[in-house]
Amino acid sequence: MARYTDAVCRICRREGLKLFLKGSRCYTKKCAFERRSTPPGMNTMRRRKVSEYGLQLREKQKVRKSYSVLERQFRNYFEKAEQHKGMTGENLLRLLEMRLDNVVYRMGFARSRAEARQLVSHGHFAVNGRPTNVPSFNTKLGDRIEVRESRRNREYFKTVAETIKSAQTPEWVSVDAAKLSGTVLSEPVREQMPLEFNEQLVVEYYSR
């Protein structure tokens, strides 16, 4: 499957917002956005008036790149969100939050979504006892996500237990650091999802 392989710090600089794509590094002085927050490329200091379409496009790109989703896949999520009851924008964010790679990240098993995606792709996790290596797997209420028994003795998972204990997990998931497992307690509500996103602009972009 195609994926973004360029420097991810360029994404944060382009969107003008720290998206925490490199995990713990984003909290240090080494963060590229902290050292140079201007957009990448030449003539970036010139002021330009951003159109309404430009604002909608940038917000869509911000959300899409935060969850590391390609354009066609993101559009499919939007079409599914439209079919659900309630606010389309909120439904869209909820579908993205319920992806397996994001749930693994939220539970503290990984320092970034990219790292979580790699761990899932390498088959380290099981959902309800069944090994799953699909990052886009849609988790549901009551699903139990755990590190597979055969992978728990690996060096990474010996140290990740301490990381989980110090992580700020959202209220819609619970984590057992000792057992390297967690459970989806509920579907996240808007207050429990990233507040820096303006999902209404994404809806307006696709409603043109």
Side-chain angles (χ1 to χ4, degrees):
M1 180 180 175
R3 61 189 181 91
Y4 181 83
T5 58
D6 206 346
V8 294
C9 292
R10 290 173 60 89
I11 297 177
C12 297
R13 290 176 57 200
R14 181 64 188 88
E15 304 306 330
L17 178 70
K18 190 182 291 190
L19 300 176
F20 300 97
L21 300 176
K22 299 195 78 170
S24 57
R25 182 187 175 92
C26 298
Y27 295 95
T28 68
K29 293 181 180 180
K30 294 182 180 180
C31 176
F33 186 81
E34 292 287 348
R35 291 186 282 120
R36 189 179 181 187
S37 60
T38 56
M42 299 177 63
N43 302 321
T44 56
M45 297 303 294
R46 184 173 59 183
R47 292 187 178 183
R48 293 181 180 178
K49 184 177 180 180
V50 182
S51 65
E52 184 178 351
Y53 168 78
L55 289 173
Q56 296 166 358
L57 174 62
R58 292 267 55 87
E59 196 66 26
K60 186 267 293 186
Q61 293 291 78
K62 187 192 304 180
V63 177
R64 183 176 72 81
K65 292 179 179 180
S66 292
Y67 290 94
S68 300
V69 177
L70 296 177
E71 179 59 41
R72 180 178 294 181
Q73 193 175 17
F74 190 77
R75 181 61 185 257
N76 290 339
Y77 277 122
F78 180 81
E79 291 175 354
K80 288 181 182 179
E82 284 187 307
Q83 298 171 5
H84 293 179
K85 293 181 180 179
M87 303 287 288
T88 300
E90 185 174 334
N91 291 339
L92 173 62
L93 291 181
R94 186 175 295 111
L95 286 171
L96 293 169
E97 282 288 308
M98 296 294 281
R99 284 170 53 99
L100 178 58
D101 56 355
N102 183 75
V103 173
V104 167
Y105 165 64
R106 293 295 188 198
M107 288 181 173
F109 290 113
R111 292 161 291 187
S112 66
R113 289 188 180 92
E115 188 174 72
R117 180 174 185 154
Q118 185 179 46
L119 290 172
V120 173
S121 298
H122 288 181
H124 293 301
F125 290 90
V127 180
N128 298 325
R130 175 175 277 178
T132 306
N133 63 355
V134 181
S136 61
F137 179 87
N138 181 38
T139 61
K140 298 179 178 61
L141 174 64
D143 279 355
R144 177 182 174 83
I145 292 90
E146 59 186 347
V147 178
R148 294 172 60 186
E149 190 72 35
S150 60
R151 311 296 175 95
R152 296 184 183 183
N153 290 329
R154 302 202 174 189
E155 196 62 34
Y156 177 85
F157 293 111
K158 289 180 179 180
T159 59
V160 79
E162 294 300 320
T163 305
I164 294 173
K165 292 178 182 178
S166 60
Q168 295 182 347
T169 55
E171 296 178 354
W172 56 277
V173 297
S174 65
V175 184
D176 188 333
K179 296 182 179 180
L180 293 178
S181 65
T183 304
V184 178
L185 300 177
S186 64
E187 293 185 345
V189 296
R190 184 62 189 95
E191 293 74 19
Q192 297 170 328
M193 294 184 279
L195 299 177
E196 65 270 20
F197 297 148
N198 185 346
E199 65 275 12
Q200 184 56 36
L201 289 177
V202 182
V203 176
E204 292 172 3
Y205 173 85
Y206 283 115
S207 301
R208 288 177 293 114

